[in-house]
Amino acid sequence: MLNLERLRTLDALARHGSVSAAASGLHITTSAVSQQLAKLEREVGQQLLARHGRGVRLTDAGRLLAQHAARILSHVELAQSDLEAHRGQVVGELRLSAFPTAARGLFPTALAGLRAEHPGLRVRSCELEPENGVAGVVRGDLDLAVVLDWYNKPMPVPDGLVKAPLLDDPAEVAMPAGHPLAGREEVDLGEFAEDEWITWAEGEFCHEWLMFTLRSRGVEPIVGHRAAETHTQMALVAAGLGVCIAPLLGRRPVPGGVVTVPLRQRVRRHVYAVWRADADRRPSIRAAVGALKSAAEKLD
C-alpha cells in the first residue's frame, strides 16, 4: 500500500526540482524529505532518485510514479473538497497570497472578516508577485492567490484553475507637485518621454507591462529607480526622483509633494482570485472569495 504522505513528498520533489525546494514547499526539513523518499523506494522496491551533480534527479521509475502521485493527490483534493462541501463548514487551513498592493489594500479587511465569521478557519497569507502566486496555486503550495493583469496585457491562467474578478483598479501617473504636467486634468504617457520612471523589478509582470505600454506610445523608457511597493515608489516621487504609475489599490494616503493625474487612456488593472478547479467546492475557498469581494467593495 502506497503511503499518501510519501507520494506527496515525491510530487513536491517532481514539481520543485530539488530536495531543498520540496522541503520549503512542504514546510518540513530536507532530512525529512530524504527519509520519506528512502522509505518510498523501499516500499516500491525500485530506485526513484539518482545523484545528479550536487542534487538528485528522478529515475524513469521515479517520473512514472510522480505522474501517478500527481493524479492521486488531485483525486484526494477533490474528495476532501466534496467532503468539506457536504459538511458545509468553513474550517481547516487556507493558504493565500497576494501581490503587495492587494495584500495592503484587501487582506487586512478580508482576513479580519474571515476570522470573525469563521473562527474555525486558520488562514496563512504571504506576499507574492502575480506569476509566483499562480505558480504556487498550480503546484499546490497555495489554495488561492490574488493576482492581476492589465487592460492591454492579460496574464495567462493555466488550465485547471478557476478565477473570479474582484475589482478593476484605475491607475494614474504620480509626479512631483512641481512637475510641468501636475496641474493637468489628464495626461498621455507619450508626454513623459524625458522623465525618469520609478518602476518595479526587472522581469516582474507590472514592470514588463509598463515597458511594453510606453514603447507602444513611442517612448523608450528611462528607468531611474526600482521598488516593489507602491508606497516606496511614491516616496521616491515625493523626493523629486521621477514619476511612477500609481494604481488606486494600496496607494493611499498619497504623500505630500506628490500629485496624481489620470491618464487619457484610462489605464486599469484587473484584480482577481485564482484557485484550483479540484478545490472549487470547498466552503473555505468560497468564503475567502466572498471576503475579498466584500473588501474590494469597501474601497473608495
Side-chain angles (χ1 to χ4, degrees):
M1 182 69 69
L2 293 171
N3 180 281
L4 189 62
E5 287 309 308
R6 289 166 199 154
L7 289 179
R8 198 181 304 279
T9 304
L10 178 65
D11 175 67
L13 178 66
R15 289 186 286 104
H16 290 283
S18 71
V19 170
S20 59
S24 178
L26 293 169
H27 305 288
I28 60 177
T29 64
T30 54
S31 61
V33 170
S34 299
Q35 291 168 14
Q36 291 276 44
L37 293 174
K39 289 178 181 177
L40 185 59
E41 285 186 325
R42 291 196 294 270
E43 284 177 351
V44 300
Q46 296 188 55
Q47 184 179 1
L48 303 177
L49 303 177
R51 285 287 175 190
H52 183 69
R54 295 184 177 181
V56 295
R57 62 172 176 82
L58 292 175
T59 63
D60 290 343
R63 285 194 295 272
L64 178 63
L65 185 55
Q67 291 170 1
H68 284 290
R71 289 194 289 270
I72 291 167
L73 292 170
S74 179
H75 282 296
V76 169
E77 177 84 33
L78 184 58
Q80 290 174 334
S81 177
D82 284 346
L83 285 171
E84 196 175 311
H86 184 265
R87 187 172 56 207
Q89 295 177 330
V90 181
V91 295
E93 182 176 276
L94 196 66
R95 301 159 298 170
L96 311 179
S97 78
F99 57 95
T101 50
R104 174 187 173 88
L106 296 177
F107 270 6
T109 300
L111 301 191
L114 278 174
R115 174 174 289 185
E117 292 185 28
H118 307 289
L121 179 66
R122 181 190 175 202
V123 179
R124 294 166 52 195
S125 71
C126 64
E127 288 187 0
L128 285 177
E129 290 301 321
E131 55 270 40
N132 295 329
V134 169
V137 172
V138 170
R139 290 195 306 264
D141 299 336
L142 296 168
D143 298 304
L144 181 147
V146 178
V147 299
L148 65 88
D149 56 26
W150 292 86
Y151 74 106
N152 61 342
K153 192 175 178 64
M155 171 178 281
V157 175
D159 292 340
L161 297 189
V162 178
K163 73 176 186 177
L166 299 177
L167 74 149
D168 279 350
D169 187 25
E172 301 179 350
V173 177
M175 62 194 79
H179 193 282
L181 301 178
R184 294 269 294 276
E185 291 187 2
E186 60 181 19
V187 291
D188 188 280
L189 283 173
E191 296 179 275
F192 295 92
E194 304 302 319
D195 286 273
E196 285 194 30
W197 281 92
I198 299 160
T199 180
W200 299 267
E202 188 169 1
E204 287 186 7
F205 185 73
C206 288
H207 171 80
E208 297 305 317
W209 165 80
L210 181 60
M211 300 298 102
F212 165 80
T213 303
L214 287 170
R215 286 168 180 151
S216 72
R217 299 289 190 275
V219 175
E220 183 54 37
I222 305 169
V223 176
H225 306 279
R226 303 177 191 275
E229 251 288 2
T230 298
H231 275 255
T232 305
Q233 295 183 9
M234 299 278 271
L236 294 170
V237 172
L241 298 173
V243 300
C244 75
I245 293 292
L248 176 63
L249 182 61
R251 84 173 179 219
R252 294 185 179 177
V254 175
V258 175
V259 172
T260 62
V261 181
L263 281 158
R264 190 169 296 122
Q265 298 86 3
R266 295 297 184 263
V267 171
R268 289 181 177 272
R269 304 190 300 182
H270 308 302
V271 180
Y272 50 94
V274 296
W275 63 93
R276 294 186 304 281
D278 56 19
D280 192 44
R281 294 187 62 199
R282 287 178 60 188
S284 55
I285 293 284
R286 294 295 169 182
V289 173
L292 287 163
K293 286 184 176 180
S294 178
E297 290 170 359
K298 293 175 182 176
L299 294 172
D300 52 13

